[in-house]
Amino acid sequence: MPDYKAPVRDIRFVRDELLDYPAHYRSLPAGGEATPDVVDAILEEGARFCEEVIAPLNPVGDREGCSWSEAGVKTPSGFKEAYRRYVEGGWPSLAHAVEHGGQGLPESLGIAVTEMIGEANWAWGMYPGLAQGAMNTLSAHGTEEQKATYLTRLVSGEWTGTMCLTEPHCGTDLGLLRTRAEPQADGSYRVSGTKIFISAGEHDLAENIVHIVLARLPDAPPGTKGISLFIVPKFLPAADGGLGVRNQVSCGSIEHKMGIHGNATCVMNFDGATGFLIGPPHKGLNCMFTFMNTARLGTALQGLAHAEVAFQGAIRYARERLQMRALNGPKAPGLPADPIIVHPDVRRMLLTIKAFAEGNRALLYFSAKQVDIARYSQDAAERAAADLLLGFLTPIAKAFMTETGFEAASHGLQVYGGHGYIREWGMEQNLRDSRIAMLYEGTTGVQALDLLGRKVLMTQGESLKAFTRIVHKFCKAHAEDEGLKAFVEPLARLNQEWGEITLQIGMQAMQDRDEVGAAAVDYLMYSGYVCLAYFWADMARVAQERLAAGTVEEAFYRAKLQTARFYFARILPRTRGHVEAMHGGAGPLMEMAAEDFDLGY
Amino acid sequence: MPDYKAPVRDIRFVRDELLDYPAHYRSLPAGGEATPDVVDAILEEGARFCEEVIAPLNPVGDREGCSWSEAGVKTPSGFKEAYRRYVEGGWPSLAHAVEHGGQGLPESLGIAVTEMIGEANWAWGMYPGLAQGAMNTLSAHGTEEQKATYLTRLVSGEWTGTMCLTEPHCGTDLGLLRTRAEPQADGSYRVSGTKIFISAGEHDLAENIVHIVLARLPDAPPGTKGISLFIVPKFLPAADGGLGVRNQVSCGSIEHKMGIHGNATCVMNFDGATGFLIGPPHKGLNCMFTFMNTARLGTALQGLAHAEVAFQGAIRYARERLQMRALNGPKAPGLPADPIIVHPDVRRMLLTIKAFAEGNRALLYFSAKQVDIARYSQDAAERAAADLLLGFLTPIAKAFMTETGFEAASHGLQVYGGHGYIREWGMEQNLRDSRIAMLYEGTTGVQALDLLGRKVLMTQGESLKAFTRIVHKFCKAHAEDEGLKAFVEPLARLNQEWGEITLQIGMQAMQDRDEVGAAAVDYLMYSGYVCLAYFWADMARVAQERLAAGTVEEAFYRAKLQTARFYFARILPRTRGHVEAMHGGAGPLMEMAAEDFDLGY
């Protein structure tokens, strides 16, 4: 694995120059603490922690993996110590409320730190990452007593948490879940059932683990409307707030996976474990949905993380590896061959990774800004608008960023030629680790249905318009700008086409609902490419302004313009294929009988 | 890993019904032995061997891997015994000349067996596969004595072989290679140097290993024109033809790789090892090129193999896994949920895999037919025509089939949802194993330059025309066929566009040779999609004819037509993106200074 370097300059470009986070923070009540000085300190300290403490553990985690015994799960060497330093540094508490021991900083700042952690070592970052999920649930739906008991210890990092949703027979289809919770006389519940794929379900980093568990009450209606949410701690809290008795929840085994070996993916057995209801009975799924957007953004950034790692590895190798001469004649005549960065196809791969990493970063921080507004704004209409926009962008970010992150990881490996396939370079680990992101937190197909069905068509296109209006405004404002014409004109065309395609699918869907499923993934990928086109056009605008104003960072801004040109010329054309595939409709997908697929044997 | 089932019916469809192999074999002098009965027996016996003997070892090989010690390399449990049965079955000798102990059957029949072996267990198949490379070299360039000593023992399977090309500092750029060969008084050479990435370089399957080694003579001119080819056996042959003394070649270590764990990828140290020149001095690379096409087809079929495995796994899971209801209402109301094959997006993935597997199979056997003609035809003009066509199709087959094979493997994993990421299902192994194919035997980028630069532009488009003429003839012949119109019309348009794009790039390349490198991969993928469009149109023709004539296999042929429609409606649109990307040209790839790529830190 190449030495990790946090892309602090680029994060600042996106946050400060493109999205004006300083003004954003000034406009939020919760943003008052996030002064430029504080933000700087956090980014710099976060970068140092990630570069020095957790990045070196990334190949270790892959090699050693986790090991299971009756006594529990042992994480790879160094993971526990790194977690101790993470807690000491106060990182778990960054974006949590002061009354629960948090630092009261905006969620978006937490996401910036999470980006760097994820890039440095995704498998390690999942332990505190899952705890954030549990904290968000408790914070939104817990009673004051539950917050005092559990949330404060999660915020301090003393304890970690998990989200226990999946069961062997149900992942996407949570309506089928069977885990049961029987009410007890003391107001608690006895929870019984088996959960699988529980990330960070058992480990040795912290003294206690707070499981947030989906289960059914005895009187629950069938399906998704009969699911409730429970807290099931590994150790029950004692009266003094410390650790009490061991609860009847245990890790039965851990999975052997393609990647993220450093994170324990657990089968969790609940054998009449004591649990406590959070939120109203039978409303567990609704409670989950309230923070699903944040959780999915957390997974979206995995795509960015693996693209960033792929880029750092590939660019170094492309400058060092000498192989063949440039087609137009030697570029490094003093060397036995030219560095492979002279070859157009190597550049195509490098620029593809770069355009995805930087473009997806813009999408991520734009979305994170909506998280802040939806959560903290004092204006209800502003909160609702941000929520609509976020709901629209989240499935795009989750699926598009992880799909392009996997593609980027594959290009990163490819730049190394045969060496990319060998463990020691780290590029194959990056590819293996990246592959999970298109599966968990809702597969690409599930995100696509959420986007096209639930978010776009069910709002009669309102959520789409929330974004296309922004794009339209941008295009109008810069229609006369000669330097931006090459971006604004195609962007405006795509922005219009987006609406037309949506209308078309909406009409077809009234005849046949399978048309939604048939178009969904192409629609989502198309949407992702257009979103990034907007962000790349806007980044080109910033770069052009800075260059016109004069800057000592000329090369940095010039590279932004060049990457934007590359994106429009060489990546955005993929939209053509997606549009034509959508025109193909559901017919060619649905006509084959299920039993006719495999007759060639 | 799902139980492997050899796709014998589909192989027969492609060979017998689509490509009329029976007539092809009757027309060849070497084809006389390949009577329908013999072909049937070989396919059936081969299928049984692959299904029963080597497929069960596929997950074993992945789990155990190979282990190195001073004494040698140990292959996974069962590999040696399977190889013994392979030799006993006479499989190594299938497509080799009778005078060297072979069965004198056509190369294309060997490829059919190799397909099934590769699908059953790619890592195992590489041991005999590499030996085929050594046999081809000896057969084409060895002296009679070398053939008698080495080739016969390779053909019998007593010994295996390798191809030793790559060195630590050179893979693609063989002109840089440093391994030296010093002539000795007895006519032999002392070979010294280090070779890496030597597949099957050391193992315990056979008593001797014949390395074919690229090295430089002392008086060699620099670059690719100074490379010679040597035989370096692990054990020198004794006077009686048996094993003599151990040679000074040894395996220093084996690589830890992303996949194909069952195959030993070796660092080979030649410490003054005794070697024997094959072919003329300094002409080693030319000698290699003479059979490069066959070797690359051998790798091309790895893409087919992983697509086939992905399909077999995905279709079974898609029919068994119950999750959610169909968008248009329950399809299996008696079950708790519908099988996921009802969902359009799951079908999109299944059909994508199926269209690639079956389409690539047609491309493979069409190419294999050209191998036969180029090698065995008694008509020199026919040989030359087949060679031109094969030269054109080979880089397309190698790169397109392995890229789409990797994509198919990824879809296969995705159909399983989170379970796809877990080892026990085998889909993640299939994806890991598939990733190497885009790297070795020339990366996708190298194949693309070979296609566009060497094969197409350097022949002034003659090699392209060799194929587009076939397509044109097909389109003309079926222009009035109502049932084929939906295929023939778009195919004819693409066939014309192919020539236009080629001309355009050719013109641009006269100004700037980087235009070739900039367009190459998009050009290759475009070419692959158009090739498959031709084969799918032709397969639709066969299916339509069979259905019109009446058949008991109605469902089989109907599925062919349906898959063809899917391919044209939902996959072929990708050509639009590639065309527009090519129009983007070299500018956006070349303008960024090498030092400006990574300023975001």
Side-chain angles (χ1 to χ4, degrees), chain A residues 37-61:
Chain A
D37 282 358
V38 167
V39 173
D40 278 0
I42 285 173
L43 289 181
E44 274 158 37
E45 272 306 305
R48 188 165 21 236
F49 175 74
C50 292
E51 289 169 4
E52 293 174 8
V53 179
I54 61 172
L57 300 176
N58 194 29
V60 177

Side-chain angles (χ1 to χ4, degrees), chain A residues 258 403 406-407 410 414 431 435 438 521-522 525 529 574 578 581, chain B residues 302-311 314 345 347-357 360 398-415 427 430-438 444 525 528-529 532 566-567 570-572 574-575 578:
Chain A
M258 183 181 196
E403 292 278 340
F406 176 68
E407 181 190 330
S410 189
Q414 189 74 13
L431 182 60
R435 186 61 185 82
M438 295 125 88
V521 167
D522 282 296
M525 293 304 290
Y529 288 118
R574 298 183 188 183
H578 290 296
Chain B
Q302 187 175 0
L304 165 56
H306 295 297
E308 178 61 43
V309 172
F311 182 71
D345 191 58
R347 289 175 156 256
R348 182 187 62 83
M349 294 188 279
L350 288 170
L351 286 163
T352 301
I353 306 171
K354 185 175 167 72
F356 284 143
N360 283 334
K398 170 24 176 114
F400 181 81
M401 287 174 64
T402 59
E403 291 278 341
T404 54
F406 177 68
E407 181 190 328
S410 188
H411 289 312
L413 186 159
Q414 187 76 14
V415 167
M427 304 310 279
N430 192 50
L431 182 61
R432 286 186 288 106
D433 286 355
S434 78
R435 187 61 185 81
I436 186 62
M438 296 125 87
T444 297
M525 293 305 290
Y529 288 118
L532 254 60
F566 167 81
Y567 182 82
R570 308 282 317 211
I571 300 293
L572 200 51
R574 298 183 187 181
T575 52
H578 290 296

Side-chain angles (χ1 to χ4, degrees), chain A residues 537-555:
Chain A
D538 202 20
M539 291 195 276
R541 169 193 62 81
V542 174
Q544 185 180 273
E545 283 170 12
R546 292 287 194 277
L547 288 167
T551 164
V552 291
E553 290 184 299
E554 208 174 302

Side-chain angles (χ1 to χ4, degrees), chain A residues 173 308 324 354 597 601, chain B residues 171 173 308 324 354 597 601:
Chain A
D173 197 351
E308 178 62 41
M324 308 299 281
K354 186 174 167 72
F597 274 70
Y601 299 93
Chain B
D173 197 353
E308 178 61 43
M324 307 301 281
K354 185 175 167 72
F597 274 70
Y601 298 93

Side-chain angles (χ1 to χ4, degrees), chain B residues 15 70 79 102 104 120 141 146 206 249 254-255 265 307 327 344 350 359 388 412 426 428 432 508 519 559 597:
Chain B
R15 289 172 49 104
E70 285 284 351
F79 272 41
H141 305 290
Q146 288 171 340
V249 48
I254 57 175
E255 305 286 354
T265 304
L327 291 171
L350 288 170
L388 184 73
E428 64 88 31
R432 286 186 288 106
Q508 289 167 333
F597 274 70

Side-chain angles (χ1 to χ4, degrees), chain B residues 351-430:
Chain B
L351 286 163
T352 301
I353 306 171
K354 185 175 167 72
F356 284 143
E358 296 175 15
N360 283 334
R361 183 170 289 127
L363 171 56
L364 177 76
Y365 288 106
F366 182 88
S367 305
K369 214 171 148 178
Q370 311 312 316
V371 171
D372 286 345
I373 301 170
R375 186 168 300 182
Y376 309 114
S377 171
Q378 292 184 305
D379 177 338
E382 219 177 66
R383 281 203 306 274
D387 201 58
L388 184 73
L389 194 52
L390 185 61
F392 172 74
L393 290 174
T394 299
I396 298 176
K398 170 24 176 114
F400 181 81
M401 287 174 64
T402 59
E403 291 278 341
T404 54
F406 177 68
E407 181 190 328
S410 188
H411 289 312
L413 186 159
Q414 187 76 14
V415 167
Y416 280 69
H419 295 272
Y421 201 66
I422 307 298
R423 292 234 176 117
E424 64 180 296
W425 294 96
M427 304 310 279
E428 64 88 31
Q429 181 193 338
N430 192 50

